[in-house]
Amino acid sequence: MGKAKVLWEVTPAPHYQPAILPPEVGEKIGSQLGRPAPRTADAVCDLRGERWVVRAGKKSFRVVRGDDGPIVFGDRPRHYASSRLPTLRRPQPQPPEREILLSLYPEVCSGWRMLTDVRFKLLALVPAVSIIAWVQLLKETALNEPPGTWAGVALSLAGLAVTVLLRMYDLRNDQLYDDLISRGRKIEEELGVDTALFRGRPRGVGTRVVHSFALTGIYGVAMLGWVGMALWFTAGLLGFR
């Protein structure tokens, strides 16, 4: 983060940077916070310098410079900062370039929907198949004594390996998923869109009400389940049950 500028001097930027709040802006933000606003806050310029997104504490504010003074809209934190990478070489699309952006945008949306669909299919498949497999393995009497117990250990380790590999595949999908959101947000910014499918998306609440936390938990439970199955059959081999 660089040296703070006055909010009105913050030029259009894709990422938040420190900005000194003018007194009239700080007063209006403070009235919505219920306490004095900080003198310096994180800000990102939006829509060719006409609007700013200011983060004060855990809250986000849209600031518009009106004729009669600043207008401040309080809201939960949203994603407005876009990628540094331009879609086209010109920052302001001309009519032919605008057509290119409008043709690229549906493709970005289509890829994003596809990856979302894959994510939810895996979320339904991994826990359901794992639980069914665990029940069947525990019910199979042939696996309770050697040499069948060896097969139980092998199947459990295979299930663990498949779950780990699916998680690695899902993590790569997450990277592509986030990149498509970034590209879609950039196209919306270059088209002059304010709040849409990608721009202005609400941020997750805290650190746990987010997709990554839930995904890690679901895959983690599945992996621990397969480890438990392997230990169960190993205990049979060693004569502990």
Side-chain angles (χ1 to χ4, degrees), residues 79-139:
H79 293 278
Y80 279 96
S82 65
S83 170
R84 293 180 182 272
L85 300 174
T87 306
L88 301 175
R89 285 182 293 180
R90 291 191 184 185
Q92 305 300 331
Q94 303 301 311
E97 295 171 339
R98 186 178 178 87
E99 294 302 319
I100 297 175
L101 291 175
L102 291 173
S103 65
L104 285 173
Y105 187 71
E107 297 301 320
V108 171
C109 293
S110 176
W112 173 74
R113 291 190 187 98
M114 180 191 69
L115 292 178
T116 302
D117 187 52
V118 169
R119 168 183 282 179
F120 281 105
K121 285 180 178 178
L122 286 176
L123 284 177
L125 179 68
V126 170
V129 171
S130 296
I131 292 172
I132 293 172
W134 298 337
V135 172
Q136 294 301 315
L137 287 173
L138 292 174
K139 286 173 58 179

Side-chain angles (χ1 to χ4, degrees), residues 142-161:
L143 300 179
N144 290 327
E145 296 181 0
T149 314
W150 286 104
V153 173
L155 290 171
S156 298
L157 293 177
L160 175 62

Side-chain angles (χ1 to χ4, degrees), residues 2 6-7 24 29 35 50 83 115 139 148 162 182 188 198:
V6 177
L7 179 64
E24 62 271 23
I29 289 179
R35 63 179 187 277
E50 296 176 1
S83 170
L115 292 178
K139 286 173 58 179
V162 170
S182 178
E188 289 173 351
F198 301 110

Side-chain angles (χ1 to χ4, degrees), residues 162-237:
V162 170
T163 304
V164 171
L165 292 173
L166 283 175
R167 178 54 177 158
M168 293 172 63
Y169 173 82
D170 186 64
L171 286 172
R172 176 55 180 161
N173 270 8
D174 285 350
Q175 293 174 347
L176 299 175
Y177 177 89
D178 292 340
D179 188 63
L180 283 173
I181 291 177
S182 178
R183 298 318 313 161
R185 190 179 297 149
K186 188 64 177 180
I187 291 174
E188 289 173 351
E189 179 191 41
E190 293 178 346
L191 288 172
V193 177
D194 185 25
T195 303
L197 182 63
F198 301 110
R199 291 202 82 204
R201 288 163 57 92
R203 295 181 183 272
V205 180
T207 58
R208 296 187 178 182
V209 188
V210 291
H211 286 146
S212 58
F213 183 83
L215 288 167
T216 301
I218 291 172
Y219 280 98
V221 169
M223 292 176 196
L224 287 175
W226 284 115
V227 170
M229 292 297 299
L231 292 175
W232 169 263
F233 287 112
T234 301
L237 283 173

